[in-house]
Amino acid sequence: MTEKTLFTKIEAVMKLTVLGSGTSHGVPVISCRCRVCKSADSRDRRLRASALLTVDDSGTGRNFLIDVGPDFREQALRVDLCSLDGVFLTHPHADHIHGIDDLRIFSRKNSCAMNSDAELAKRFPETSGKGLPVYMSSESEKLVRENFKYIFMTHEKGGGTPKLDIVCTDSYDEKNPLKISGMSVVPVPLVHGCMNTTGWIFIEEKNEEKHCIAYLTDCNAITENSLERIRACSAGGVIDHLVIDALRLRPHSTHNSFDQALAYADKIGAVHTWFTHLSHDYTHEEIGTLLESKILEHENLRKIAAGAGSVEPAFDGLELSC
């Protein structure tokens, strides 16, 4: 089942909302006067790439953020985000991590001065426990701790900082997935130029069948081992949705081109494939038209599209459910 709506609520056990579908500049790009940046189509306004996974765990909706970029505050307000149960980080580039300070709203660590002031401590209580779980690779953890030292330091003065519980995911795979809120989560190693990033596969058991959502950005290469991991995760079930990096038509040194993304999508075989991390080269409508012809070049995608499947550009506010 596919839902194409702008920030409307739907009933689903596992739902992914695309909070941002744009590249690192965002669209419109500052000072740009191209037809895409000046477009009146709301689907051409692309905040930095991010998504929100909502899981109905025993009747209680739990929210998990994928990346926390500089547009996170605006994205959270758009969807009226009032609770957050965890964050999955793909990598620590600015467009995916520089909204990290706004996680204070969901998990706060007080300074020594605040804790020692009874009135402040009462008005702004520190989050109990270890804080908000943030799942990432050890490579990402190293850079997060280096680049945001103030978060992990003891402060004598000033306000609060995000209280984060970093969970290293290096040891998890298709044979040993993370178990969170009734779903299984598997990290997928990706190649992003000269660095490694992490894609995520979210798996639920529904009517004795696996249903999966795969979120794979930022990347310009997916190794055969990673493709095998994706196939193993969906064995005995289906990948309902694949959200994959597809920057533009022209090749790029660190991101999939449209042709690269289509080739990987053909191998992965999701029912619905959605391009994200889009530049301002083409409008939403133009990308859709382009893909209609390009999927004919790929046998598996051609068969999927002939059935109930699709390959389309994502847009901010797109909601996908299993």
Side-chain angles (χ1 to χ4, degrees), residues 203-214:
I203 308 160
E204 67 169 357
E205 298 284 344
K206 187 177 180 181
N207 298 325
E208 299 183 352
E209 186 179 65
K210 286 182 182 178
H211 286 265
C212 311
I213 297 176

Side-chain angles (χ1 to χ4, degrees), residues 2 16 18 188 190 199-202 212-217 219 222 227 230 238-246 256 260-276 300-301 304 310-314 318 320-322:
T2 303
L16 185 90
V18 177
V188 179
L190 304 172
W200 300 98
I201 300 182
F202 305 97
C212 311
I213 297 176
Y215 189 89
L216 309 178
T217 195
C219 64
I222 306 175
L227 289 171
I230 295 168
V238 62
I239 300 177
D240 293 87
H241 300 284
L242 165 65
V243 182
I244 188 168
D245 185 307
N256 286 338
Q260 284 176 291
L262 285 167
Y264 289 128
D266 190 67
K267 293 179 179 180
I268 292 169
V271 177
H272 302 285
T273 294
W274 306 93
F275 282 10
T276 195
N300 198 25
L301 290 180
I304 291 170
S310 63
V311 181
E312 301 180 51
L318 173 69
L320 310 171
S321 63
C322 293

Side-chain angles (χ1 to χ4, degrees), residues 22-218:
T23 187
S24 59
H25 292 291
V27 182
V29 178
I30 295 171
S31 81
C32 184
R33 298 293 183 268
C34 75
R35 72 187 188 290
V36 181
C37 289
K38 300 295 287 183
S39 170
D41 188 338
S42 61
R43 296 171 299 179
D44 294 329
R45 299 189 66 84
R46 303 164 181 151
L47 297 178
R48 267 64 75 94
S50 179
L52 181 70
L53 184 77
T54 302
V55 182
D56 186 359
D57 182 26
S58 302
T60 302
R62 303 191 69 192
N63 295 314
F64 297 90
L65 184 68
I66 307 173
D67 287 338
V68 55
D71 296 324
F72 171 60
R73 176 180 174 275
E74 180 178 355
Q75 292 165 339
L77 290 171
R78 278 188 175 186
V79 297
D80 193 25
L81 184 63
C82 296
S83 66
L84 192 60
D85 298 281
V87 179
F88 294 96
L89 187 65
T90 62
H91 67 297
H93 276 168
D95 55 320
H96 294 261
I97 192 66
H98 275 201
I100 195 169
D101 204 65
D102 285 323
L103 294 177
R104 285 181 298 170
I105 297 298
F106 303 105
S107 186
R108 170 189 289 273
K109 181 175 176 60
N110 288 345
S111 66
C112 294
M114 288 181 70
N115 279 332
S116 64
D117 186 306
E119 183 59 31
L120 279 177
K122 183 178 180 179
R123 287 176 57 198
F124 305 102
E126 181 171 319
T127 302
S128 61
K130 294 181 179 180
L132 184 69
V134 185
Y135 304 92
M136 66 183 79
S137 69
S138 58
E139 185 175 339
S140 290
E141 178 180 358
K142 181 177 183 294
L143 290 172
V144 168
R145 290 188 182 277
E146 287 178 357
N147 295 341
F148 298 94
K149 289 182 180 179
Y150 74 93
I151 290 178
F152 307 100
M153 295 168 57
T154 298
H155 292 269
E156 295 182 359
K157 298 180 180 180
T161 58
K163 189 172 187 179
L164 307 180
D165 177 23
I166 294 181
V167 180
C168 179
T169 59
D170 289 357
S171 63
Y172 294 97
D173 57 25
E174 66 276 21
K175 296 178 181 178
N176 178 38
L178 281 157
K179 297 288 188 179
I180 306 170
S181 297
M183 65 175 173
S184 297
V185 184
V186 176
V188 179
L190 304 172
V191 179
H192 183 37
C194 61
M195 75 179 297
N196 299 313
T197 58
T198 304
W200 300 98
I201 300 182
F202 305 97
I203 308 160
E204 67 169 357
E205 298 284 344
K206 187 177 180 181
N207 298 325
E208 299 183 352
E209 186 179 65
K210 286 182 182 178
H211 286 265
C212 311
I213 297 176
Y215 189 89
L216 309 178
T217 195
D218 295 29

Side-chain angles (χ1 to χ4, degrees), residues 9 26 252 290 304 321:
K9 294 182 179 179
H252 191 275
L290 187 65
I304 291 170
S321 63

